[in-house]
Amino acid sequence: MPSGEARPLGRGGDMSSILMVYGSTHGQTGRIVERLASNLTVAGHRVTTWKGDQLPARPVLAGYDGYVIAGSVRYGKYQPYLVEFARANAGDSPRCRVSSSRCVAP
């Protein structure tokens, strides 16, 4: 596979190391991230979760195969610390993909 091309995590039985950084205003996003991390761990991946407002001053991102940044949207905006983290680190990965998804319960 050419350098910089996105690849599926864990294809062919490979275990991946995944970093999940999240922001949660009322706890819902935190619960979603916990569930996702649990499912990924059961599937054989190594998962590290960090709450975005409790990140180390200079987080070490080397060594992760994939990243998930999850945040709640309030008044049309994500938590400022998540936006700052994403902007500061987007250039660290040539495989960076941005997706804005919303989960709405009935």
Side-chain angles (χ1 to χ4, degrees), residues 28-95:
Q28 291 298 82
T29 304
R31 285 189 276 282
I32 292 167
V33 166
E34 287 173 13
R35 174 70 63 92
L36 181 56
S38 175
N39 290 342
L40 288 167
T41 300
V42 167
H45 302 288
R46 291 184 312 265
V47 180
T48 302
T49 59
W50 281 337
K51 189 157 190 259
D53 60 354
Q54 298 172 357
L55 283 168
R58 292 190 161 282
V60 177
L61 304 181
Y64 290 102
D65 299 309
Y67 308 94
V68 174
I69 301 174
S72 55
V73 178
R74 289 193 45 109
Y75 305 110
K77 297 185 180 195
Y78 292 101
Q79 289 86 354
Y81 53 84
L82 287 181
V83 174
E84 182 180 321
F85 175 81
R87 285 186 178 145
N89 295 290
D92 286 354
S93 174
R95 298 180 300 196

